[in-house]
Structure formats: C-alpha cells, structure tokens
C-alpha cells in the first residue's frame, strides 16, 4: 500500500488534511501524520513514503530543509508544500527541490486532492523510468542513440532482428535477406553499431528476456523459447554471463525492488 505522510505543526491543518485524504482514498492509501520535521525524520528512518505533504514554517526543521534531507535518499518521495504565506523565495526554492505543488492556506479541498493525484502520478512516472533504466542494456542504448547515422542496410537488419528474435537467425541469414555479402555485412555491422553481430543478438535477446521476466509470469523455459534459445539451460548460461545472476534471481530481485519502492 502506498503511503502519504502529512507534516504540519498545526494540529487543525494536519488533521484536516488527513481526514480529507482518508475520505478521498477510501482506504487505498496509508495516511500518516507527523507534528514536526524532527518527528517526520524519525518516522522515515523505519518507513518509506511515496508522497510527502509538508508545511514550510515549522520549529527546528522547516519544510524545505526536510525536503532537502529527503532528496539525499535513494528513492525520495514526491512533495507538496503548504504555507500560510505566499512568499516568493519559499516557492522558488521549493521548485528548485522538485516540489510538485505549492499550496496556500487555508487549503481548498478540491485543489488539495487534485495536487495529490498529480503528485502520485508523477511518482508512478518516476518509478517507471527507474524500472526501465534497470532493464536497459547500456551498450544497446548506445546503438539506439547512434541509429540516425546507420546505413539503410544496418537499420533494416536491426528491424528484421527485432521482428524475428524468437527464431534462430545467423549472420548469413540476415546478409541473404539484405542481398549482401556476409563478410561485408559483418564488417559494416560492427563498424556502425560498435558490436559484432553475435554480441548484438545476444544482448538483444537478453534484453527481451528481461522485459518478459518483469512483465509476464512465463516460465524460464517459455521465455528462453520466445527469445530464440532452443534450451532453457543454454539460455540461463548466456543470461548469467551478461547479468551475473540467473533469470529466476533477476526476476526475484526486480519484484522485490518493486515492492520496496511502491
């Protein structure tokens, strides 16, 4: 269950925000409160939060100081700042810290809920980006970034490979498909992508396997077949050589991370 933490030293505001969000969430979110920045930091030592709603002016640790400390965390929450004063300097600094919204007291319930929905969507977007970064092979990413300088033959080869990754495709098969000499195609492919044909195919198959491992419940054998390996045993060997873990361990690690972040 995703968690929202409300931090405000004014009991009336703190409880008002809590009640509004509890009514809005209908039990879908865990709503927690803290009466100060110090209390919030103590709570965060043993808990994770997706969205932080904090007042700017509080004793000891103010809202922006709290946000600055949270930005040092591996997975900081998204933040909504609330204030009783329309101070430009506070608002400007809040934006520099990546705060999603700056709301003025007295809070409008509709604007508060809208800001919370926007913030949680932003958190989901950040999570998806982080997850994709873990999936993407950096060497394959380099080939994508360089695609604009590829020759027509290499672009066609990459597209054909993507569409037939589940098949056993030799370099000669691709060269024949493109009506090219296999030796010339080999040199051209390495020159433009920075990878040999064999290296590219292996990395692309493992990349596809990683996507299937986190997005489906297919068995390791089924995934091996879908990415072009005739035996699960050989697929596991290739996967481990590139990722330093087995496909099963990779799936478990990503799922565990997903539960922790969410």
């Amino acid at each position: 269950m995703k968690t929202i933490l409300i931090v405000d030293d004014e009991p009336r505001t703190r409880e008002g925000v809590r009640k509004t969000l509890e009514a809005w969430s209908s039990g879908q979110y865990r709503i927690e409160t803290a009466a100060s920045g110090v209390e919030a930091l103590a709570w965060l030592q043993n808990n994770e939060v997706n969205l932080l709603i904090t007042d700017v002016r509080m004793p000891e640790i103010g809202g922006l100081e709290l946000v600055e400390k949270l930005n040092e965390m591996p997975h900081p929450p998204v933040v909504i700042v609330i204030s009783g004063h329309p101070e430009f300097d506070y608002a400007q600094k809040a934006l520099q810290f990546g705060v999603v919204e700056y709301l003025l007291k007295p809070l409008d319930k509709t604007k508060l809920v809208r800001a919370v929905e926007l913030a949680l969507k932003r958190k989901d977007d950040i999570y998806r980006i982080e997850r994709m970064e873990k999936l993407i092979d950096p060497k394959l990413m380099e080939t994508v970034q360089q695609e604009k300088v590829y020759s027509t033959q290499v672009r066609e080869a990459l597209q054909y490979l993507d569409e037939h990754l589940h098949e056993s495709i030799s370099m000669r098969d691709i060269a024949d498909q493109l009506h090219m000499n296999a030796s010339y195609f080999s040199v051209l492919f390495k020159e433009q992508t920075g990878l040999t044909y064999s290296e590219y195919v292996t990395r692309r198959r493992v990349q596809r396997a990683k996507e299937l491992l986190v997005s489906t419940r297919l068995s390791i054998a089924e995934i091996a077949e879908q990415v072009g390996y005739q035996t699960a045993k050989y697929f596991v060997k290739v996967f481990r050589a590139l990722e330093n873990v087995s496909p099963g361990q990779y799936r478990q690690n990503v799922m565990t991370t997903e539960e922790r972040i969410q």
Side-chain angles (χ1 to χ4, degrees):
M1 183 179 290
K2 294 180 180 179
T3 302
I4 299 172
L5 176 63
I6 303 157
V7 188
D8 199 309
D9 60 327
E10 298 179 6
R12 186 174 177 180
T13 302
R14 188 171 66 246
E15 288 305 301
V17 173
R18 182 183 63 80
K19 289 177 181 178
T20 298
L21 295 186
E22 283 182 346
W24 160 79
S25 71
S26 300
Q28 294 182 52
Y29 295 90
R30 176 186 174 195
I31 314 293
E32 297 288 340
T33 63
S36 69
V38 174
E39 186 180 324
L41 286 175
W43 184 87
L44 285 163
Q45 287 181 357
N46 300 307
N47 298 274
E48 293 194 1
V49 64
N50 301 88
L51 169 60
L52 175 78
I53 301 174
T54 181
D55 190 13
V56 169
R57 290 186 173 183
M58 294 183 294
E60 298 181 85
I61 296 178
L64 295 184
E65 186 181 352
L66 174 61
V67 173
E68 190 172 10
K69 290 180 181 296
L70 294 184
N71 281 339
E72 298 171 1
M73 296 168 56
H75 302 283
V78 286
V79 179
I80 294 172
V81 165
I82 56 179
S83 175
H85 308 277
E87 295 115 328
F88 176 76
D89 288 345
Y90 278 132
Q92 188 179 43
K93 197 166 184 182
L95 290 173
Q96 290 173 352
F97 286 148
V99 170
V100 175
E101 188 66 83
Y102 190 97
L103 299 176
L104 292 175
K105 298 177 182 179
L107 294 172
D108 179 283
K109 290 183 180 180
T110 302
K111 288 183 179 179
L112 172 63
V113 168
R114 192 182 300 132
V116 167
E117 290 173 343
L118 173 65
L120 290 170
K121 182 180 182 301
R122 177 78 60 84
K123 182 63 176 175
D124 286 342
D125 291 343
I126 292 169
Y127 167 70
R128 276 192 289 271
I129 291 168
E130 288 177 346
R131 186 174 177 184
M132 285 308 298
E133 285 175 347
K134 291 176 183 175
L135 292 178
I136 293 171
D137 183 320
K139 286 192 176 292
L140 286 182
M141 179 57 73
E142 288 176 18
T143 67
V144 172
Q145 292 170 343
Q146 295 169 2
E147 190 168 354
K148 60 181 180 296
V149 300
Y150 288 168
S151 65
T152 301
Q153 297 98 321
V154 170
R155 283 201 305 271
E156 289 179 358
L158 295 177
Q159 182 178 348
Y160 186 86
L161 278 168
D162 263 3
E163 294 170 356
H164 297 82
L165 209 56
H166 59 287
E167 301 173 13
S168 176
I169 316 167
S170 69
M171 186 175 66
R172 185 170 295 280
D173 292 334
I174 290 283
D176 289 345
Q177 181 73 22
L178 299 173
H179 308 292
M180 294 177 67
N181 174 275
S183 297
Y184 174 67
F185 171 73
S186 173
V187 172
L188 185 69
F189 192 91
K190 173 69 187 303
E191 186 179 83
Q192 294 191 18
T193 66
L195 297 170
T196 67
Y197 174 82
S198 176
E199 287 172 334
Y200 179 85
V201 172
T202 298
R203 288 183 176 278
R204 190 66 191 89
R205 282 179 169 155
V206 169
Q207 175 71 51
R208 178 74 58 82
K210 287 159 68 177
E211 293 165 6
L212 292 172
L213 284 165
V214 302
S215 64
T216 74
R217 288 299 175 187
L218 292 172
S219 68
I220 303 302
E222 288 171 324
I223 290 175
E225 184 178 352
Q226 288 207 16
V227 298
Y229 291 102
Q230 295 183 348
T231 69
K233 184 178 180 180
Y234 184 61
F235 163 61
V236 170
K237 180 181 178 181
V238 172
F239 191 98
R240 188 187 291 275
L242 269 183
E243 298 297 323
N244 296 316
V245 292
S246 70
Q249 289 169 324
Y250 180 87
R251 172 180 269 168
Q252 185 177 4
N253 291 346
V254 172
M255 292 301 109
T256 301
T257 302
E258 179 176 345
E259 289 170 4
R260 180 173 58 78
I261 295 173
Q262 292 273 23

